[in-house]
Amino acid sequence: MGARRVAAAACALFLGAGAVAWWQLRDPAPYALRESPAVIVTVRAAASDHPDAAEVAEETDLLIRASVQRLAAGDAAGLADLGAPWFTGRREAAEALVAEYRDVADQPVTATVADPVVPDLAAVDLRFTGGERQTLYLSRADGVWWLELGEGDPVAP
């Protein structure tokens, strides 16, 4: 009976550790959407024959929505926090984006993720309701997608 309990405890511990690992792998992003302001962002993959396009659009969805939300809020510091940590000048670049797009980011936005050419890099065409456009460049390191804000090597980490 004691051996069964030990085996059951070991099994429960193993399953619990597996569940924790799965939860952490599910969404490794250190950022999230905030409760406000609410933004309407439609994220889609560009027309492509490659299944990676849809996968990259799905993986970058949270980052794209969070960046539009930070723009709409006028939150340059929060936008800079979405920038790749290995880039410099993130705050200044975020301030420039907020100054340019804050007034249009609170309207519906369409984000089209380009067909990925290089793994761990992505380009996103943002189209704002008023006709303004912005291209976001994204980099992924350790499973986390980041904005390329400021100056840096997109594949540096």
Side-chain angles (χ1 to χ4, degrees), residues 42-130:
T42 302
V43 179
R44 64 179 182 215
S48 173
D49 292 333
H50 300 284
D52 290 353
E55 184 178 317
V56 171
E58 184 179 317
E59 290 174 355
T60 60
D61 183 273
L62 174 61
L63 176 59
I64 294 166
R65 290 176 191 281
S67 65
V68 171
Q69 185 181 56
R70 303 311 190 270
L71 284 173
D75 182 4
L79 185 60
D81 288 343
L82 301 176
W86 57 93
F87 272 52
T88 60
R90 291 187 310 272
R91 179 65 185 249
E92 296 80 8
E95 288 171 353
L97 289 173
V98 166
E100 188 168 352
Y101 297 103
R102 179 181 186 176
D103 294 337
V104 295
D106 63 346
Q107 299 298 312
V109 177
T110 300
T112 304
V113 180
D115 195 6
V117 178
V118 178
D120 300 327
L121 299 177
V124 181
D125 177 43
L126 292 182
R127 292 185 184 215
F128 298 94
T129 299

Coordinates of all heavy atoms in Angstrom, one line a residue, residues 42-130:
T42 N -8.6 43.9 -35.9 CA -8.8 42.7 -36.6 C -7.4 42.3 -37.1 O -6.8 43.0 -37.9 CB -9.8 42.9 -37.8 OG1 -11.0 43.4 -37.3 CG2 -10.0 41.6 -38.6
V43 N -7.0 41.1 -36.7 CA -5.6 40.6 -37.1 C -5.9 39.5 -38.0 O -6.6 38.6 -37.7 CB -4.8 40.2 -35.8 CG1 -3.5 39.6 -36.3 CG2 -4.6 41.3 -34.8
R44 N -5.2 39.6 -39.2 CA -5.3 38.5 -40.2 C -4.0 38.3 -40.8 O -3.1 39.2 -40.8 CB -6.4 38.8 -41.2 CG -6.1 40.1 -42.0 CD -7.1 40.3 -43.0 NE -6.7 41.5 -43.8 CZ -7.6 42.4 -44.3 NH1 -8.8 42.3 -44.0 NH2 -7.1 43.4 -45.0
A45 N -3.8 37.1 -41.4 CA -2.6 36.8 -42.2 C -2.8 37.3 -43.6 O -3.9 37.2 -44.2 CB -2.3 35.3 -42.2
A46 N -1.7 37.8 -44.2 CA -1.8 38.1 -45.6 C -2.0 36.8 -46.4 O -1.7 35.7 -46.0 CB -0.4 38.7 -46.1
A47 N -2.6 37.0 -47.6 CA -2.8 35.8 -48.5 C -1.5 35.1 -48.7 O -0.5 35.7 -49.1 CB -3.5 36.2 -49.8
S48 N -1.5 33.8 -48.5 CA -0.2 33.1 -48.6 C -0.5 31.6 -48.8 O -1.5 31.1 -48.4 CB 0.6 33.2 -47.3 OG 1.7 32.4 -47.3
D49 N 0.4 31.0 -49.5 CA 0.4 29.5 -49.6 C 1.1 28.8 -48.5 O 1.1 27.6 -48.4 CB 1.1 29.1 -51.0 CG 0.3 29.6 -52.2 OD1 -1.0 29.7 -52.0 OD2 0.9 29.8 -53.2
H50 N 1.7 29.5 -47.6 CA 2.5 29.0 -46.5 C 1.6 29.0 -45.2 O 1.1 30.0 -44.9 CB 3.8 29.7 -46.3 CG 4.7 29.7 -47.5 ND1 5.4 28.7 -47.9 CD2 4.9 30.7 -48.4 CE1 6.1 28.9 -48.9 NE2 5.8 30.2 -49.3
P51 N 1.6 27.8 -44.6 CA 0.8 27.8 -43.3 C 1.4 28.7 -42.2 O 0.7 29.0 -41.3 CB 0.8 26.3 -42.9 CG 2.0 25.7 -43.7 CD 2.2 26.5 -44.9
D52 N 2.7 29.0 -42.4 CA 3.4 29.8 -41.3 C 2.7 31.2 -41.2 O 2.7 31.8 -40.1 CB 4.8 30.0 -41.7 CG 5.6 28.8 -41.5 OD1 5.1 27.8 -41.0 OD2 6.8 28.8 -41.9
A53 N 2.1 31.7 -42.3 CA 1.5 33.1 -42.3 C 0.4 33.1 -41.2 O 0.3 34.0 -40.4 CB 1.0 33.5 -43.6
A54 N -0.5 32.2 -41.3 CA -1.6 32.1 -40.3 C -1.1 31.9 -38.9 O -1.6 32.5 -37.9 CB -2.6 31.1 -40.7
E55 N -0.1 31.1 -38.8 CA 0.5 30.8 -37.4 C 1.1 32.0 -36.8 O 0.9 32.4 -35.7 CB 1.5 29.7 -37.6 CG 2.1 29.2 -36.3 CD 3.1 28.1 -36.4 OE1 2.8 27.2 -37.2 OE2 4.2 28.1 -35.8
V56 N 1.9 32.8 -37.6 CA 2.5 34.0 -37.2 C 1.5 35.0 -36.8 O 1.6 35.7 -35.8 CB 3.5 34.6 -38.2 CG1 4.0 35.9 -37.8 CG2 4.7 33.6 -38.3
A57 N 0.4 35.1 -37.6 CA -0.7 36.1 -37.3 C -1.3 35.7 -35.9 O -1.6 36.6 -35.1 CB -1.7 36.1 -38.4
E58 N -1.5 34.5 -35.7 CA -2.1 34.0 -34.4 C -1.1 34.3 -33.3 O -1.6 34.8 -32.2 CB -2.4 32.5 -34.5 CG -3.1 32.0 -33.3 CD -3.4 30.5 -33.4 OE1 -3.9 30.1 -34.5 OE2 -3.2 29.8 -32.4
E59 N 0.1 34.0 -33.5 CA 1.1 34.2 -32.4 C 1.3 35.7 -32.0 O 1.7 36.0 -30.9 CB 2.5 33.6 -32.8 CG 2.5 32.1 -32.8 CD 3.7 31.5 -33.4 OE1 4.6 32.3 -33.8 OE2 3.9 30.3 -33.4
T60 N 1.2 36.6 -33.0 CA 1.5 38.0 -32.8 C 0.2 38.8 -32.4 O 0.3 40.0 -32.1 CB 2.1 38.6 -34.0 OG1 1.3 38.5 -35.2 CG2 3.5 38.0 -34.3
D61 N -0.9 38.1 -32.4 CA -2.2 38.8 -32.2 C -2.2 39.6 -30.9 O -2.6 40.8 -30.9 CB -3.3 37.8 -32.1 CG -4.7 38.4 -31.9 OD1 -5.1 38.6 -30.8 OD2 -5.4 38.6 -33.0
L62 N -1.8 39.1 -29.8 CA -1.7 39.8 -28.5 C -0.8 41.0 -28.6 O -1.2 42.1 -28.1 CB -1.3 38.9 -27.4 CG -1.1 39.5 -26.0 CD1 -2.4 40.1 -25.5 CD2 -0.6 38.5 -25.0
L63 N 0.3 40.9 -29.1 CA 1.3 42.0 -29.2 C 0.7 43.1 -30.1 O 0.8 44.3 -29.7 CB 2.6 41.5 -29.8 CG 3.6 42.6 -30.0 CD1 4.0 43.4 -28.7 CD2 4.9 42.0 -30.6
I64 N 0.1 42.8 -31.2 CA -0.5 43.8 -32.1 C -1.6 44.5 -31.3 O -1.7 45.7 -31.3 CB -1.0 43.1 -33.4 CG1 0.2 42.6 -34.2 CG2 -1.8 44.1 -34.2 CD1 -0.2 41.6 -35.3
R65 N -2.5 43.8 -30.7 CA -3.6 44.4 -30.0 C -3.1 45.3 -28.8 O -3.6 46.4 -28.6 CB -4.6 43.3 -29.4 CG -5.4 42.6 -30.5 CD -6.2 41.5 -29.9 NE -6.8 40.6 -30.9 CZ -7.8 41.0 -31.7 NH1 -8.5 42.1 -31.4 NH2 -8.3 40.1 -32.6
A66 N -2.2 44.8 -28.1 CA -1.6 45.5 -27.0 C -0.9 46.8 -27.5 O -1.1 47.9 -26.9 CB -0.6 44.7 -26.2
S67 N -0.3 46.8 -28.6 CA 0.4 48.0 -29.1 C -0.6 49.0 -29.6 O -0.4 50.2 -29.3 CB 1.4 47.6 -30.3 OG 0.7 47.1 -31.4
V68 N -1.7 48.6 -30.2 CA -2.7 49.5 -30.6 C -3.4 50.1 -29.4 O -3.7 51.3 -29.3 CB -3.8 48.8 -31.5 CG1 -5.0 49.8 -31.8 CG2 -3.1 48.5 -32.9
Q69 N -3.6 49.3 -28.3 CA -4.2 49.8 -27.1 C -3.3 50.8 -26.4 O -3.8 51.8 -26.0 CB -4.5 48.6 -26.2 CG -5.2 49.0 -24.9 CD -5.4 47.9 -24.0 OE1 -4.4 47.2 -23.6 NE2 -6.6 47.6 -23.6
R70 N -2.0 50.6 -26.4 CA -1.1 51.5 -25.8 C -1.1 52.8 -26.6 O -1.0 53.9 -26.1 CB 0.3 51.0 -25.7 CG 0.5 49.7 -24.9 CD -0.1 49.6 -23.6 NE 0.3 48.5 -22.8 CZ -0.3 47.3 -22.8 NH1 -1.3 47.1 -23.6 NH2 0.2 46.3 -22.1
L71 N -1.2 52.7 -28.0 CA -1.3 53.9 -28.8 C -2.5 54.7 -28.5 O -2.5 55.9 -28.3 CB -1.3 53.5 -30.3 CG 0.0 53.1 -31.0 CD1 -0.2 52.6 -32.4 CD2 1.0 54.3 -31.0
A72 N -3.7 54.0 -28.4 CA -4.9 54.7 -28.2 C -4.9 55.4 -26.8 O -5.5 56.4 -26.6 CB -6.1 53.7 -28.3
A73 N -4.2 54.8 -25.8 CA -4.2 55.3 -24.5 C -3.2 56.5 -24.4 O -3.1 57.2 -23.4 CB -3.8 54.2 -23.5
G74 N -2.3 56.6 -25.4 CA -1.3 57.6 -25.3 C -0.2 57.2 -24.4 O 0.5 58.1 -23.8
D75 N 0.0 55.9 -24.2 CA 0.9 55.4 -23.2 C 2.2 55.0 -23.8 O 2.5 53.9 -24.2 CB 0.2 54.2 -22.5 CG 1.1 53.5 -21.4 OD1 2.1 54.1 -21.1 OD2 0.7 52.5 -20.9
A76 N 3.1 56.0 -24.0 CA 4.4 55.8 -24.6 C 5.2 54.8 -23.8 O 5.9 54.0 -24.3 CB 5.1 57.1 -24.8
A77 N 5.2 54.9 -22.4 CA 6.0 54.0 -21.6 C 5.5 52.6 -21.7 O 6.3 51.7 -21.8 CB 5.9 54.5 -20.1
G78 N 4.2 52.4 -21.8 CA 3.6 51.1 -22.0 C 4.0 50.5 -23.3 O 4.2 49.3 -23.5
L79 N 3.9 51.4 -24.3 CA 4.3 50.9 -25.7 C 5.8 50.6 -25.7 O 6.2 49.5 -26.3 CB 4.0 52.0 -26.7 CG 4.2 51.7 -28.2 CD1 3.3 50.5 -28.6 CD2 3.9 52.9 -29.1
A80 N 6.6 51.3 -25.1 CA 8.1 51.1 -25.1 C 8.3 49.7 -24.4 O 9.2 49.0 -24.8 CB 8.8 52.2 -24.3
D81 N 7.5 49.4 -23.4 CA 7.6 48.1 -22.7 C 7.4 46.9 -23.6 O 7.8 45.8 -23.3 CB 6.7 48.0 -21.5 CG 7.2 48.9 -20.3 OD1 8.3 49.3 -20.3 OD2 6.3 49.1 -19.5
L82 N 6.7 47.1 -24.7 CA 6.4 46.1 -25.7 C 7.5 45.9 -26.7 O 7.5 45.1 -27.5 CB 5.1 46.4 -26.5 CG 3.8 46.5 -25.6 CD1 2.7 46.9 -26.5 CD2 3.5 45.2 -24.9
G83 N 8.5 46.8 -26.6 CA 9.7 46.8 -27.5 C 10.7 45.8 -27.1 O 10.8 45.4 -25.9
A84 N 11.4 45.3 -28.1 CA 12.4 44.2 -27.9 C 13.4 44.7 -26.9 O 14.0 45.8 -27.1 CB 13.1 43.9 -29.2
P85 N 13.6 44.0 -25.8 CA 14.5 44.5 -24.8 C 16.0 44.8 -25.2 O 16.7 45.5 -24.6 CB 14.5 43.3 -23.7 CG 13.3 42.6 -24.0 CD 13.0 42.7 -25.5
W86 N 16.4 44.2 -26.3 CA 17.7 44.4 -26.8 C 17.9 45.6 -27.7 O 18.9 45.9 -28.2 CB 18.3 43.1 -27.5 CG 17.4 42.6 -28.6 CD1 17.6 42.9 -30.0 CD2 16.3 41.8 -28.6 NE1 16.6 42.3 -30.7 CE2 15.8 41.6 -29.9 CE3 15.6 41.1 -27.5 CZ2 14.7 40.8 -30.2 CZ3 14.5 40.4 -27.8 CH2 14.1 40.2 -29.1
F87 N 16.8 46.3 -28.0 CA 16.8 47.5 -28.8 C 17.0 48.7 -27.8 O 16.6 48.7 -26.7 CB 15.5 47.7 -29.5 CG 15.4 47.1 -30.9 CD1 15.7 45.7 -31.0 CD2 15.0 47.8 -32.0 CE1 15.6 45.1 -32.3 CE2 15.0 47.2 -33.2 CZ 15.3 45.9 -33.4
T88 N 17.7 49.7 -28.3 CA 17.8 51.0 -27.6 C 16.9 52.1 -28.2 O 16.5 52.0 -29.3 CB 19.3 51.5 -27.6 OG1 19.7 51.7 -29.0 CG2 20.2 50.4 -27.0
G89 N 16.6 53.1 -27.4 CA 15.8 54.2 -27.8 C 14.3 53.8 -28.0 O 13.6 54.5 -28.7
R90 N 13.9 52.8 -27.2 CA 12.5 52.4 -27.3 C 11.5 53.5 -26.9 O 10.5 53.7 -27.5 CB 12.3 51.1 -26.4 CG 13.0 49.9 -27.0 CD 12.6 48.6 -26.2 NE 12.7 48.7 -24.8 CZ 13.8 48.5 -24.1 NH1 14.9 48.1 -24.7 NH2 13.9 48.6 -22.8
R91 N 11.9 54.2 -25.8 CA 11.0 55.2 -25.3 C 10.8 56.3 -26.3 O 9.6 56.8 -26.5 CB 11.5 55.7 -23.9 CG 10.7 56.8 -23.3 CD 9.3 56.3 -22.9 NE 8.5 57.3 -22.4 CZ 8.1 57.5 -21.1 NH1 8.5 56.6 -20.2 NH2 7.3 58.4 -20.7
E92 N 11.8 56.8 -26.9 CA 11.7 57.9 -27.8 C 10.9 57.4 -29.1 O 10.1 58.2 -29.6 CB 13.1 58.4 -28.3 CG 13.9 59.0 -27.1 CD 14.6 58.0 -26.2 OE1 14.6 56.8 -26.5 OE2 15.2 58.4 -25.2
A93 N 11.2 56.2 -29.5 CA 10.4 55.7 -30.7 C 9.0 55.5 -30.3 O 8.1 55.9 -31.2 CB 11.0 54.4 -31.1
A94 N 8.7 55.1 -29.1 CA 7.3 54.9 -28.7 C 6.6 56.3 -28.6 O 5.4 56.4 -29.0 CB 7.2 54.2 -27.4
E95 N 7.3 57.3 -28.1 CA 6.7 58.6 -28.0 C 6.4 59.2 -29.4 O 5.3 59.8 -29.6 CB 7.7 59.6 -27.3 CG 7.8 59.3 -25.8 CD 8.9 60.1 -25.1 OE1 9.7 60.7 -25.8 OE2 8.9 60.0 -23.8
A96 N 7.2 58.9 -30.4 CA 7.0 59.4 -31.7 C 5.7 58.7 -32.3 O 4.9 59.3 -33.0 CB 8.2 59.2 -32.6
L97 N 5.6 57.4 -32.1 CA 4.4 56.7 -32.6 C 3.1 57.1 -31.9 O 2.1 57.3 -32.6 CB 4.6 55.2 -32.3 CG 5.6 54.5 -33.2 CD1 5.8 53.0 -32.8 CD2 5.3 54.5 -34.7
V98 N 3.2 57.4 -30.6 CA 2.0 57.9 -29.9 C 1.6 59.2 -30.5 O 0.4 59.5 -30.7 CB 2.2 57.9 -28.4 CG1 1.2 58.8 -27.7 CG2 2.3 56.5 -27.8
A99 N 2.6 60.1 -30.7 CA 2.3 61.4 -31.2 C 1.6 61.4 -32.6 O 0.7 62.1 -32.9 CB 3.6 62.3 -31.3
E100 N 2.1 60.4 -33.4 CA 1.5 60.3 -34.8 C 0.2 59.5 -34.9 O -0.6 59.9 -35.7 CB 2.6 59.6 -35.6 CG 2.2 59.6 -37.1 CD 3.3 59.2 -38.0 OE1 4.5 59.0 -37.5 OE2 3.1 59.0 -39.2
Y101 N 0.0 58.5 -34.0 CA -1.2 57.6 -34.2 C -2.2 57.6 -33.1 O -3.2 56.9 -33.2 CB -0.7 56.2 -34.5 CG 0.1 56.1 -35.8 CD1 1.5 56.0 -35.7 CD2 -0.5 56.1 -37.0 CE1 2.3 55.9 -36.9 CE2 0.3 56.0 -38.2 CZ 1.7 55.9 -38.1 OH 2.4 55.8 -39.2
R102 N -2.0 58.3 -32.0 CA -2.9 58.3 -30.9 C -4.3 58.6 -31.3 O -5.3 58.0 -30.9 CB -2.4 59.2 -29.8 CG -3.4 59.2 -28.6 CD -3.0 60.1 -27.5 NE -3.8 59.9 -26.4 CZ -3.7 60.5 -25.2 NH1 -2.7 61.3 -25.1 NH2 -4.5 60.3 -24.2
D103 N -4.5 59.6 -32.1 CA -5.8 60.1 -32.5 C -6.6 59.1 -33.4 O -7.8 59.3 -33.5 CB -5.7 61.5 -33.1 CG -5.2 62.5 -32.2 OD1 -5.4 62.4 -30.9 OD2 -4.7 63.6 -32.6
V104 N -5.9 58.2 -34.0 CA -6.6 57.3 -34.9 C -6.7 55.9 -34.3 O -7.4 55.0 -34.9 CB -6.0 57.3 -36.3 CG1 -6.2 58.6 -37.0 CG2 -4.6 56.9 -36.3
A105 N -5.9 55.6 -33.3 CA -5.9 54.2 -32.8 C -7.1 53.8 -32.0 O -7.3 52.6 -31.7 CB -4.6 54.1 -31.9
D106 N -8.0 54.7 -31.6 CA -9.2 54.4 -30.9 C -10.3 54.0 -31.8 O -11.4 53.6 -31.4 CB -9.6 55.5 -30.0 CG -10.0 56.8 -30.7 OD1 -9.6 56.9 -31.9 OD2 -10.5 57.7 -30.0
Q107 N -10.1 54.0 -33.1 CA -11.1 53.6 -34.1 C -10.7 52.1 -34.6 O -9.5 51.7 -34.3 CB -11.1 54.5 -35.3 CG -11.5 55.9 -34.9 CD -12.9 56.0 -34.4 OE1 -13.8 55.5 -34.9 NE2 -13.0 56.7 -33.2
P108 N -11.6 51.4 -35.2 CA -11.2 50.1 -35.7 C -10.0 50.1 -36.6 O -9.7 50.9 -37.4 CB -12.4 49.6 -36.5 CG -13.6 50.4 -35.9 CD -13.0 51.7 -35.5
V109 N -9.1 49.1 -36.3 CA -7.8 48.9 -37.0 C -7.8 47.5 -37.6 O -8.2 46.5 -37.0 CB -6.7 49.1 -36.0 CG1 -5.3 48.8 -36.7 CG2 -6.7 50.4 -35.3
T110 N -7.3 47.4 -38.8 CA -7.0 46.1 -39.5 C -5.5 45.9 -39.5 O -4.8 46.8 -40.0 CB -7.6 46.1 -40.9 OG1 -9.0 46.4 -40.8 CG2 -7.3 44.8 -41.6
A111 N -5.1 44.8 -39.0 CA -3.7 44.4 -39.0 C -3.5 43.2 -39.9 O -4.1 42.2 -39.6 CB -3.2 44.1 -37.6
T112 N -2.6 43.4 -40.9 CA -2.3 42.3 -41.8 C -0.9 41.9 -41.6 O 0.0 42.7 -41.9 CB -2.6 42.7 -43.3 OG1 -3.9 43.2 -43.4 CG2 -2.4 41.5 -44.2
V113 N -0.7 40.6 -41.2 CA 0.6 40.1 -40.9 C 1.1 39.6 -42.3 O 0.5 38.7 -42.9 CB 0.6 39.0 -39.9 CG1 2.0 38.5 -39.6 CG2 0.0 39.6 -38.6
A114 N 2.3 40.1 -42.7 CA 2.8 39.7 -44.0 C 3.3 38.3 -44.0 O 3.6 37.7 -42.9 CB 4.0 40.6 -44.4
D115 N 3.4 37.7 -45.1 CA 3.9 36.3 -45.3 C 5.3 36.3 -44.7 O 6.2 37.1 -45.2 CB 3.9 36.0 -46.7 CG 4.1 34.5 -47.0 OD1 4.1 33.7 -46.0 OD2 4.2 34.1 -48.2
P116 N 5.6 35.5 -43.7 CA 6.9 35.5 -43.1 C 8.0 35.0 -44.1 O 7.9 34.0 -44.7 CB 6.8 34.6 -41.9 CG 5.6 33.8 -42.1 CD 4.7 34.5 -43.1
V117 N 9.1 35.8 -44.2 CA 10.2 35.4 -45.1 C 11.3 34.8 -44.3 O 12.0 33.9 -44.7 CB 10.7 36.7 -45.9 CG1 11.8 36.3 -46.7 CG2 9.5 37.3 -46.7
V118 N 11.5 35.4 -43.1 CA 12.6 34.9 -42.2 C 11.9 34.5 -40.9 O 11.1 35.2 -40.3 CB 13.6 36.0 -41.9 CG1 14.7 35.6 -41.0 CG2 14.2 36.5 -43.2
P119 N 12.3 33.3 -40.3 CA 11.7 32.9 -39.1 C 12.0 33.9 -38.0 O 13.1 34.5 -38.0 CB 12.5 31.5 -38.8 CG 12.9 31.1 -40.1 CD 13.2 32.3 -40.9
D120 N 11.1 34.1 -37.1 CA 11.2 34.9 -35.9 C 11.2 36.4 -36.2 O 11.5 37.3 -35.4 CB 12.5 34.6 -35.1 CG 12.4 33.2 -34.5 OD1 11.3 32.7 -34.3 OD2 13.5 32.5 -34.4
L121 N 10.9 36.8 -37.4 CA 10.7 38.2 -37.8 C 9.4 38.3 -38.6 O 9.0 37.4 -39.3 CB 11.8 38.7 -38.8 CG 13.2 38.6 -38.2 CD1 14.2 39.1 -39.3 CD2 13.3 39.5 -37.0
A122 N 8.7 39.4 -38.3 CA 7.4 39.6 -39.0 C 7.2 41.1 -39.3 O 7.7 41.9 -38.5 CB 6.3 39.1 -38.1
A123 N 6.4 41.4 -40.3 CA 6.0 42.7 -40.6 C 4.5 42.8 -40.6 O 3.8 41.8 -41.0 CB 6.5 43.2 -42.0
V124 N 3.9 43.8 -40.0 CA 2.5 44.0 -39.9 C 2.1 45.3 -40.5 O 2.6 46.4 -40.1 CB 2.1 43.9 -38.4 CG1 0.6 44.0 -38.3 CG2 2.6 42.6 -37.8
D125 N 1.1 45.3 -41.4 CA 0.6 46.5 -41.9 C -0.7 46.9 -41.1 O -1.7 46.2 -41.2 CB 0.2 46.3 -43.4 CG -0.4 47.5 -44.1 OD1 0.1 48.6 -43.8 OD2 -1.4 47.3 -44.8
L126 N -0.6 48.0 -40.4 CA -1.8 48.5 -39.7 C -2.5 49.5 -40.5 O -1.9 50.5 -41.0 CB -1.4 49.2 -38.4 CG -0.7 48.3 -37.3 CD1 -0.4 49.2 -36.0 CD2 -1.6 47.2 -36.9
R127 N -3.8 49.3 -40.7 CA -4.6 50.3 -41.4 C -5.7 50.8 -40.5 O -6.5 50.1 -39.9 CB -5.3 49.6 -42.6 CG -4.3 49.3 -43.7 CD -4.9 48.7 -44.9 NE -3.9 48.3 -45.8 CZ -4.0 48.4 -47.1 NH1 -5.1 48.9 -47.7 NH2 -3.0 48.0 -47.9
F128 N -5.6 52.1 -40.3 CA -6.5 52.8 -39.3 C -7.7 53.3 -40.1 O -7.6 53.5 -41.3 CB -5.8 54.0 -38.7 CG -4.6 53.6 -37.8 CD1 -3.3 53.6 -38.4 CD2 -4.7 53.2 -36.5 CE1 -2.2 53.2 -37.6 CE2 -3.7 52.8 -35.8 CZ -2.4 52.8 -36.3
T129 N -8.8 53.5 -39.4 CA -10.1 53.9 -40.1 C -9.9 55.1 -40.9 O -10.5 55.2 -42.0 CB -11.2 54.1 -39.0 OG1 -11.3 52.8 -38.3 CG2 -12.5 54.5 -39.6
G130 N -9.2 56.1 -40.5 CA -9.1 57.3 -41.3 C -8.2 57.2 -42.5 O -8.0 58.2 -43.2

